[in-house]
Amino acid sequence: GAVVSQHPSWVICKSGTSVKIECRSLDFQATTMFWYRQFPKQSLMLMATSNEGSKATYEQGVEKDKFLINHASLTLSTLTVTSAHPEDSSFYICSARDLAKYNEQFFGPGTRLTVL
Amino acid sequence: TQLLEQSPQFLSIQEGENLTVYCNSSSVFSSLQWYRQEPGEGPVLLVTVVTGGEVKKLKRLTFQFGDARKDSSLHITAAQPGDTGLYLCAGAHAGNMLTFGGGTRLMVKP
């Protein structure tokens, strides 16, 4: 299957700092990537759709100025959590869509963010 | 919002037992995917079903897509402790975004 990587795997930061998470498709090009958030013992919640070369589409209730998304190339999307607060602590997962495989989405390993 | 209801939410069984997980929706999906997720990791794709009535088998796992492409099931035969995890169904619709079910947390006891 297609491989998607995420970096970092985990991060601990102080309240008020910004954190950048990278999502890369390693062996395929992804015009579209997705960012999800997952709370403990819950399913995935879509935050935004990241389109290469254009602005991201945010789901209702997700602050675009809080969660900055950049999709500068066909293999890289970044999510920046700006001025992070403890309530932003969560497991963030990205996925990339492989057009060559029925538009299947392949997920990264996730990034655990803890804001102190 | 197109909802996908997944049941049961939790399932604890003994090794060797069979189980079925269901995903139901009032909406039609172009395809439906099943994932398994281990704690602290991203979901791993198990299968994609595309055609109404389609049945796919992956070793002891059998996946079925409803005729109307609104529902799906995952059946595990002779469950093993290694099957323990969170199982997620996800329906693809307009824009190819995925709508996830609530997940089924399976624990198989040896």
Side-chain angles (χ1 to χ4, degrees), chain A residues 5 8-9 31 34 41 50 59 65 67 70-71 84 93 102-103 108 110:
Chain A
S5 70
S9 300
T31 55
F34 303 88
K41 300 184 178 180
S50 172
E59 294 300 297
D65 294 329
F67 299 98
N70 183 276
H71 194 156
I93 308 175
Y102 299 107
N103 288 314

Side-chain angles (χ1 to χ4, degrees), chain A residues 25-52:
Chain A
S25 56
L26 298 185
D27 52 359
F28 66 101
Q29 293 184 333
T31 55
T32 304
M33 292 184 173
F34 303 88
W35 286 97
Y36 295 84
R37 186 172 179 175
Q38 186 177 34
F39 291 104
K41 300 184 178 180
Q42 293 188 22
S43 188
L44 281 69
M45 291 180 57
L46 179 65
M47 298 175 64
T49 301
S50 172
N51 301 298
E52 186 268 337

Side-chain angles (χ1 to χ4, degrees), chain A residues 34 36 38 41-44 46 49 59 91 93 97 103-110, chain B residues 33 35 37 40-43 45 48 50 86 88 95-98 100-103 105:
Chain A
F34 303 88
Y36 295 84
Q38 186 177 34
K41 300 184 178 180
Q42 293 188 22
S43 188
L44 281 69
L46 179 65
T49 301
E59 294 300 297
F91 193 51
I93 308 175
R97 191 170 75 192
N103 288 314
E104 291 174 344
Q105 288 188 30
F106 296 90
F107 286 81
Chain B
Q33 300 172 14
Y35 295 85
Q37 185 181 23
E41 299 180 9
L45 180 65
T48 298
V50 180
L86 176 66
L88 298 160
N96 286 299
M97 291 189 296
L98 292 179
F100 277 88
R105 193 164 296 278

